[in-house]
Amino acid sequence: MEKQSLLDFLLVPGGLLALVAYHIWLLRQVINHPTTTVIGINSINRRLWVHAMMDHDHDLSRNNNNGVLAVQTLRNNIMASTLLASTAIMLSSVIAVLMTHSTGGYRPSSTLFFGDTGDRMLTIKFFFILVCFIVTFLLNVQSIRYYNHVGILINVPCKNINLNHWTKAEYVGRTLNRGSYFWSLGLRSFYFTLPLFLWVFGPIPMFISSLSLLSLLYFLDVTTPPEIQSSAAAA
């Protein structure tokens, strides 16, 4: 049993540290080199989108059309956040039920599963999965909160307000980016539940899934800067 527990103490922290180290590196890339990441490029384009939606105060017909387009776009984002939040809270309830029935219930066979298969370790595994889903729910709720703020702010005219257009658009753009960041973090916490789920079957599947998830996230997060793409196409 001690050798089996040793696998949990070695492989599980190793897999989690690899994921944490990757996201620290990703955060530095987003801050210092935003055009090399999908998150950074999307953040820049969202700010430009806000300026485009709010840049027609002189043309009432175009301004109304932009207002409808902005609200519909934000509604789609709110629906996506609501779906993730609802799924997370539902799965949290399922995990809570499994935790309460784990003792004396489901116990993996030591001949098929590696690592510690005791009731205490199984409860710890379910607890981490539960925490991950609760964090997902809270992050998506915050995302909905910011999207709702943007839905009102983006249609407020600058006339008769002691605030110039550029300052107002920048504030709305930052608010929209905050909502998107919370949504991205909620989606990341969903990703983190995959290794934690596989941890139920042992530390080896958990470690392998962590490395596989790391490779997938790198493929999804990193992109070639636009200036490099244009020079390569010209060549």
Side-chain angles (χ1 to χ4, degrees):
M1 181 61 69
E2 292 181 358
K3 293 182 178 180
Q4 292 179 343
S5 301
L6 185 61
L7 288 175
D8 287 286
F9 287 112
L10 291 178
L11 296 182
V12 173
L16 293 178
L17 285 177
L19 290 172
V20 171
Y22 167 76
H23 282 87
I24 293 175
W25 171 84
L26 179 63
L27 178 61
R28 293 185 61 184
Q29 289 295 110
V30 171
I31 295 174
N32 300 323
H33 308 284
T35 56
T36 62
T37 64
V38 175
I39 296 176
I41 292 177
N42 288 340
S43 175
I44 295 172
N45 284 300
R46 278 192 297 268
R47 293 174 61 185
L48 295 176
W49 178 79
V50 169
H51 279 278
M53 293 297 103
M54 302 175 64
D55 199 27
H56 299 293
D57 286 339
H58 61 280
D59 191 334
L60 295 179
S61 61
R62 294 184 67 183
N63 190 40
N64 290 335
N65 292 334
N66 284 342
V68 173
L69 175 61
V71 171
Q72 288 179 344
T73 304
L74 292 170
R75 182 189 62 184
N76 294 335
N77 291 335
I78 291 174
M79 290 176 62
S81 298
T82 303
L83 177 62
L84 288 179
S86 302
T87 304
I89 199 64
M90 179 188 66
L91 293 176
S92 299
S93 303
V94 174
I95 297 301
V97 172
L98 291 176
M99 287 181 63
T100 57
H101 293 82
S102 61
T103 303
Y106 169 72
R107 292 191 61 179
S109 174
S110 59
T111 60
L112 298 177
F113 297 84
F114 298 97
D116 193 347
T117 58
D119 290 333
R120 176 183 294 180
M121 182 57 70
L122 188 62
T123 302
I124 292 174
K125 295 174 183 178
F126 284 143
F127 173 76
F128 279 108
I129 298 173
L130 177 62
V131 169
C132 207
F133 279 130
I134 292 176
V135 171
T136 302
F137 172 76
L138 294 177
L139 290 172
N140 281 282
V141 167
Q142 288 298 315
S143 175
I144 295 172
R145 170 176 173 263
Y146 279 107
Y147 284 145
N148 282 328
H149 291 336
V150 174
I152 296 175
L153 294 173
I154 202 169
N155 286 313
V156 175
C158 296
K159 297 178 180 179
N160 302 325
I161 298 178
N162 189 21
L163 190 67
N164 61 55
H165 172 80
W166 181 265
T167 303
K168 178 174 177 288
E170 281 295 308
Y171 173 75
V172 177
R174 288 196 300 268
T175 305
L176 177 61
N177 276 331
R178 288 174 183 173
S180 181
Y181 292 153
F182 275 111
W183 184 85
S184 297
L185 289 173
L187 190 61
R188 297 282 160 154
S189 60
F190 247 122
Y191 292 156
F192 267 82
T193 58
L194 176 60
L196 295 179
F197 265 123
L198 292 179
W199 188 20
V200 176
F201 300 96
I204 296 178
M206 186 272 179
F207 183 75
I208 295 175
S209 66
S210 297
L211 298 182
S212 301
L213 181 60
L214 189 63
S215 302
L216 177 63
L217 290 177
Y218 181 83
F219 173 77
L220 295 175
D221 292 331
V222 178
T223 184
T224 304
E227 59 271 13
I228 296 180
Q229 290 180 348
S230 58
S231 62

